[in-house]
Amino acid sequence: MSLLVNMLLEWQDTKTDIEIERVLWIDPSGTDVVTIEINNSKALPKWQKCKDLEVAIASQEICILKIDPYAELLRPENAISENHCKRRDRAWEVIGPLVEGDIELIFNPRDRGQRIEATVERTGCIKKTIYNYLRRYWQGGQTKNALLPLFDRCGAKGKERKPSNCKRGRPSKLSKVTEIPIGVNVDDKIRKKFYRGIASFYKNRQERTLKDAFQKTLEKHFHVGYEMKNGALVPILPPARELPTFAQFRYWYEKERNITQEKISREGKRRFNLRHRALLGNSTQMAFGPGSIYQIDATIGDIYLVSSLDRNRIIGRPVIYFIIDTFSRLITGFSVSLEGPSWLGAMLALENATSDKVAFCYEYGIEIDEADWPTHHLPEAILADRGELEGYNADNLVNALNIRVSNTPPYRADWKGIVERNFRLSNEKMIHWMPGAVNRVRERGDQDYRLNATLDLQQFRKLIILCILDHNQHHRMDWYRMDEFMIQQYVEPYPIELWNWGVQNRGGHLRQIAPEIVRLNLLPFAEASVTPQGIYYQGLNYTCELALREQWFVKARANGRWKILIAYDPRRLDIIYLRLDDSRRLEPCQLIDTQKTFQERDWHEAIDYFELQKQSKEAASTRQQQQKATFHAQVDKIVAEAKEKTEKVLTVQSKRSRIQGIRENHKLERENEREVQAWQLGVKEISDQPGQLIPMPSVTELEEDDEGYVAPPKPIDKLRKLREKSWNNDQ
């Protein structure tokens, strides 16, 4: 292989670490060659034979390098600082005449010495400086830029300086005046204190400045003791000349700095992901065409509205939902309501995304063509946050409408940045300038912006429609990343243009379903119970013609209750819907007449009422338990007194003798009760003496084993016989 000027040759069999030579000059006859070692700070040009080097290359004793370590010097002129250019040009003025023209002479040691002597007289530079310039020129590839200052190689890059007795670094102004070294060198011990101070006082959620962290580090780790002042221990610091400086503290902080770890420590993982993470992706990459992914989100509008019934009443701020196509940035649906961010607001926005926009805009007095807002479809997927589209309602979208629902992680609104950014655009374009808009910057004496509220819900919805139409047709997105096919067809970066191009070239993602089916599957669903009192759900009972016709309530009383699937509108409590035929048909159910109290109420009011009832029941449990305890104590006392009195007067009788006199005893007790409790009208004074004890007829005590005893006949037996005889005669 032939040799070339500036070729790098690495010797393979050398015992040293690395030996690399650069070809500086080749004899026109091809006999001699001049080389120089590029990694030797005292190297000079060396003459060799071309044949010897070629043989070494052929025998693989020499390896030809393809990457030049000095290639970084070959950079454009505008990338070099002015100061570095001046240093380079100054060095070139010194050695330029030596390396131009007949350069063979400079490689000859005898001629080189004479020419350098002449250069010393011409420039006033010492020989060492001239040799350094020449060596840098030859080792760097014999270009003018090889004379650029190599400040990046100063200071033993990657190596720490060893401590020494003298103070390193530029002396301070005070040190120059006093000629006394002031300050300390940072050794391993001081450096460890720096790291502990940074970890304790800077890398935390208190968000101190680096200057404050340095002061706290001095107080914590560099004090020489404490003194008591006003009951507090105050750290005593050495003189400033014996302490490290803030510049040293900052140097070691930046040297070991991990900016990712620092941001997470000071602001938390959530805020780091939201504000400081690397921006390497693009939301458009998630969608292949229109309808691939819709993004949905809600915000509270920065404007106060008035009631359409009484415009003197300020009703607060509305909740705005937007649905945006990820591929084209076209707004496909929206809702404006007073419902908090919930499934209801999302349901209204999704229903609007599938509705005919021409008819919808006509309801608000706005006439458009189909091409102005051509969206009335369902997407393949919806991206939302962890809120209203998480749970059973979202499962219904997946199962019934075949829409894939994805939720972003907590506190990661940046994952659906397209719809998030649209809220800001709406504020900047329209809401911020409307009467009643929220004024974030208020000064003392300013009028309350809420008093400026003028628009009602209908008027605000109309303004939002106009804002959406303007966005879809005229919002130019020069930052949108076009692919090669869009560029070839000269697609303009407007949402409507991207949508139309995507429908023609990347279709197949949009689906159209009948509005009634969409509404059916957007309504929240739950399980109700068929009971004898009606179809029971959330404390209320409903009925319908189907249930009456098929005798559901009678069957529930005979066989027990059973579950049934229903759908309901959170805005109406007086009606629910039975989901029949695998949710393809609805059967409306009305409240039963006995529960008309809840007519014209919403579910939130009913749920609150029943929840308050439960709370009242739980609150009354203490009272009930105490009342039961009092009742049981009184009962036990009366029973104990009765036992005590009975045991005192109880005579020795057989069990049978006590039982056989029950009827007679009952008769005598009844007669006594009549006499004692009888009303005595017209009698002013009634004796307060208690009733006298009626003596009971004594019964001769019988032996317990006297089983042949027969009770004497009683008058009641004669009456029974006469009655039976009378019945027999009648027959």
Side-chain angles (χ1 to χ4, degrees):
M1 182 176 183
S2 59
L3 299 175
L4 301 174
V5 174
N6 280 335
M7 180 181 286
L8 293 178
L9 309 175
E10 182 180 7
W11 291 88
Q12 302 295 312
D13 58 351
T14 180
K15 295 181 180 180
T16 59
D17 294 336
I18 299 176
E19 184 178 345
I20 302 175
E21 296 181 357
R22 183 187 296 278
V23 177
L24 299 179
W25 177 79
I26 301 175
D27 183 13
S29 64
T31 304
D32 298 320
V33 61
V34 178
T35 62
I36 189 174
E37 295 182 29
I38 67 170
N39 55 340
N40 186 350
S41 60
K42 297 181 180 181
L44 290 173
K46 180 171 58 174
W47 289 75
Q48 301 185 64
K49 297 296 183 181
C50 292
K51 184 176 181 181
D52 295 340
L53 295 180
E54 291 173 354
V55 170
I57 293 174
S59 62
Q60 298 185 354
E61 295 179 14
I62 291 179
C63 176
I64 299 177
L65 302 182
K66 296 182 179 179
I67 299 178
D68 192 337
Y70 290 90
E72 61 183 9
L73 297 173
L74 304 177
R75 54 182 184 266
E77 193 72 12
N78 56 6
I80 305 173
S81 68
E82 183 179 356
N83 186 31
H84 288 194
C85 288
K86 290 180 179 180
R87 289 174 175 268
R88 178 198 62 187
D89 297 339
R90 199 158 48 238
W92 180 252
E93 291 177 359
V94 175
I95 67 169
L98 298 176
V99 297
E100 290 180 334
D102 192 2
I103 62 174
E104 179 182 358
L105 299 177
I106 197 64
F107 297 136
N108 191 325
R110 180 179 300 177
D111 295 333
R112 181 168 61 241
Q114 296 176 357
R115 301 190 67 180
I116 289 178
E117 289 289 347
T119 303
V120 170
E121 295 179 0
R122 178 175 59 87
T123 62
C125 293
I126 61 176
K127 289 184 179 181
K128 183 178 180 180
T129 301
I130 298 173
Y131 272 106
N132 285 337
Y133 287 160
L134 289 172
R135 190 176 293 113
R136 286 169 52 189
Y137 175 77
W138 289 328
Q139 292 177 337
Q142 302 184 95
T143 63
K144 188 177 180 179
N145 278 355
L147 299 173
L148 287 170
L150 303 176
F151 291 149
D152 57 326
R153 301 190 181 185
C154 297
K157 184 178 180 181
K159 298 181 181 180
E160 297 179 5
R161 296 180 179 178
K162 296 181 180 180
S164 59
N165 295 329
C166 62
K167 174 67 175 68
R168 295 190 301 268
R170 184 177 60 183
S172 64
K173 295 181 179 179
L174 180 60
S175 179
K176 292 179 180 179
V177 174
T178 60
E179 297 183 355
I180 299 175
I182 297 176
V184 296
N185 290 324
V186 177
D187 54 13
D188 292 340
K189 185 177 179 180
I190 295 178
R191 190 164 62 249
K192 290 179 180 179
K193 292 181 179 180
F194 282 172
Y195 294 156
R196 286 197 295 267
I198 291 170
S200 301
F201 305 116
Y202 189 72
K203 293 182 178 180
N204 53 40
R205 301 301 293 272
Q206 296 179 359
E207 297 187 358
R208 286 190 180 94
T209 63
L210 193 61
K211 191 83 173 181
D212 292 339
F214 170 67
Q215 178 63 30
K216 296 290 289 184
T217 302
L218 293 181
E219 297 172 3
K220 177 69 174 177
H221 300 291
F222 290 89
H223 65 83
V224 294
Y226 294 91
E227 67 175 352
M228 186 69 68
K229 286 187 178 180
N230 298 327
L233 289 175
V234 179
I236 304 301
L237 297 178
R241 64 177 179 271
E242 299 178 10
L243 290 173
T245 63
F246 175 67
Q248 291 172 316
F249 182 80
R250 182 174 55 194
Y251 168 80
W252 286 104
Y253 156 72
E254 293 177 350
K255 182 177 179 64
E256 302 294 336
R257 185 182 186 186
N258 185 331
I259 190 169
T260 299
Q261 181 183 0
E262 173 193 319
K263 291 295 184 182
I264 294 175
S265 300
R266 290 174 62 83
E267 303 185 31
K269 185 75 173 179
R270 172 175 61 87
R271 190 171 293 180
F272 171 80
N273 290 332
L274 192 63
R275 300 182 179 180
H276 304 292
R277 79 191 193 286
L279 302 177
L280 304 177
N282 186 358
S283 297
T284 311
Q285 299 173 356
M286 299 187 299
F288 181 74
S292 294
I293 298 178
Y294 281 0
Q295 293 187 16
I296 180 172
D297 198 16
T299 189
I300 299 177
D302 290 341
I303 188 172
Y304 281 82
L305 305 179
V306 299
S307 171
S308 59
L309 302 176
D310 182 0
R311 304 191 78 88
N312 289 315
R313 293 164 48 199
I314 301 174
I315 61 175
R317 298 163 63 180
V319 177
I320 307 173
Y321 269 89
F322 278 125
I323 301 180
I324 297 184
D325 176 57
T326 301
F327 174 80
S328 63
R329 307 302 200 270
L330 190 82
I331 300 177
T332 60
F334 82 102
S335 71
V336 176
S337 65
L338 298 178
E339 305 291 342
S342 61
W343 171 256
L344 178 58
M347 177 186 73
L348 296 175
L350 289 169
E351 190 273 338
N352 179 259
T354 61
S355 63
D356 181 12
K357 300 303 189 298
V358 176
F360 173 75
C361 293
Y362 185 77
E363 295 177 3
Y364 292 88
I366 301 175
E367 296 184 2
I368 64 171
D369 296 329
E370 174 70 20
D372 296 332
W373 198 355
T375 59
H376 47 82
H377 314 84
L378 286 175
E380 286 185 344
I382 295 178
L383 180 63
D385 53 18
R386 300 172 61 89
E388 52 274 8
L389 291 190
E390 186 175 50
Y392 295 107
N393 296 321
D395 293 341
N396 197 39
L397 288 178
V398 176
N399 299 329
L401 300 179
N402 194 25
I403 298 176
R404 187 175 70 256
V405 177
S406 302
N407 286 293
T408 60
Y411 309 108
R412 293 304 306 274
D414 54 301
W415 280 30
K416 48 182 178 58
I418 294 175
V419 67
E420 294 282 349
R421 176 175 174 79
N422 188 73
F423 291 135
R424 189 177 69 182
L425 292 175
S426 300
N427 281 332
E428 295 174 352
K429 183 180 296 185
M430 181 192 67
I431 296 178
H432 179 72
W433 311 105
M434 294 295 103
V438 175
N439 185 6
R440 299 296 182 184
V441 180
R442 293 184 62 189
E443 297 182 359
R444 188 174 180 179
D446 288 350
Q447 183 181 1
D448 192 341
Y449 51 78
R450 292 173 293 186
L451 299 176
N452 297 328
T454 304
L455 302 170
D456 60 24
L457 269 174
Q458 290 293 98
Q459 294 168 338
F460 185 69
R461 289 192 184 107
K462 186 174 182 179
L463 290 177
I464 291 293
I465 292 175
L466 295 176
C467 184
I468 291 174
L469 293 173
D470 179 76
H471 169 86
N472 290 344
Q473 300 177 29
H474 306 295
H475 178 58
R476 185 176 181 86
M477 303 175 293
D478 292 321
W479 42 264
Y480 188 92
R481 298 182 182 178
M482 300 279 189
D483 60 22
E484 55 180 329
F485 304 104
M486 296 178 182
I487 296 174
Q488 292 174 1
Q489 300 184 26
Y490 302 100
V491 178
E492 293 292 332
Y494 295 100
I496 191 69
E497 298 288 338
L498 295 170
W499 173 276
N500 294 332
W501 183 89
V503 169
Q504 296 177 1
N505 297 275
R506 295 184 180 178
H509 305 283
L510 298 170
R511 290 175 294 121
Q512 191 169 3
I513 300 178
E516 290 298 326
I517 297 178
V518 173
R519 292 180 178 178
L520 167 63
N521 289 281
L522 287 177
L523 288 175
F525 64 93
E527 280 189 345
S529 299
V530 180
T531 68
Q533 294 79 24
I535 300 174
Y536 177 83
Y537 177 68
Q538 293 285 6
L540 300 175
N541 291 304
Y542 297 82
T543 184
C544 64
E545 294 182 2
L546 177 65
L548 295 174
R549 185 170 63 251
E550 297 184 359
Q551 303 182 25
W552 284 8
F553 310 134
V554 177
K555 294 178 181 178
R557 188 169 187 179
N559 304 325
R561 61 198 297 167
W562 70 87
K563 300 289 185 180
I564 189 170
L565 194 64
I566 66 164
Y568 65 94
D569 191 335
R571 297 165 294 183
R572 296 191 61 182
L573 179 145
D574 56 340
I575 187 171
I576 61 175
Y577 304 93
L578 301 179
R579 298 170 65 101
L580 306 174
D581 299 338
D582 295 331
S583 299
R584 293 191 300 270
R585 182 168 63 90
L586 291 180
E587 177 73 22
C589 302
Q590 294 79 23
L591 274 173
I592 62 176
D593 294 336
T594 58
Q595 294 183 335
K596 293 297 184 181
T597 305
F598 296 95
Q599 196 81 20
E600 298 181 356
R601 300 289 189 272
D602 62 18
W603 279 107
H604 302 292
E605 292 177 306
I607 292 173
D608 287 345
Y609 170 75
F610 290 119
E611 186 62 29
L612 288 175
Q613 279 192 326
K614 292 180 181 178
Q615 294 175 5
S616 299
K617 183 178 179 181
E618 293 179 1
S621 61
T622 302
R623 175 182 175 183
Q624 293 176 354
Q625 291 172 354
Q626 184 60 47
Q627 181 61 31
K628 287 181 179 179
T630 304
F631 171 74
H632 292 158
Q634 294 174 348
V635 169
D636 293 342
K637 180 181 178 181
I638 296 173
V639 171
E641 292 175 353
K643 285 183 178 181
E644 183 180 359
K645 291 181 178 181
T646 303
E647 290 175 355
K648 287 181 180 180
V649 300
L650 190 63
T651 59
V652 181
Q653 299 180 16
S654 66
K655 298 178 181 179
R656 181 173 293 179
S657 63
R658 290 192 66 192
I659 295 173
Q660 288 180 345
I662 291 178
R663 290 188 177 181
E664 188 65 26
N665 298 339
H666 180 81
K667 177 180 178 182
L668 294 174
E669 186 71 22
R670 184 179 62 201
E671 291 175 354
N672 180 62
E673 281 288 313
R674 288 177 178 177
E675 182 178 352
V676 174
Q677 300 294 337
W679 293 343
Q680 299 182 16
L681 302 178
V683 179
K684 297 181 180 180
E685 295 183 1
I686 300 177
S687 175
D688 294 334
Q689 298 295 329
Q692 301 295 324
L693 181 64
I694 301 175
M696 302 300 294
S698 61
V699 180
T700 304
E701 184 177 355
L702 300 177
E703 299 293 337
E704 292 183 3
D705 57 351
D706 186 7
E707 298 179 357
Y709 172 79
V710 178
K714 298 180 179 179
I716 193 66
D717 295 335
K718 294 180 180 181
L719 292 174
R720 187 182 296 110
K721 291 180 180 180
L722 291 174
R723 186 178 60 187
E724 292 176 355
K725 183 177 179 181
S726 175
W727 285 355
N728 293 333
N729 292 335
D730 293 340
Q731 293 177 356

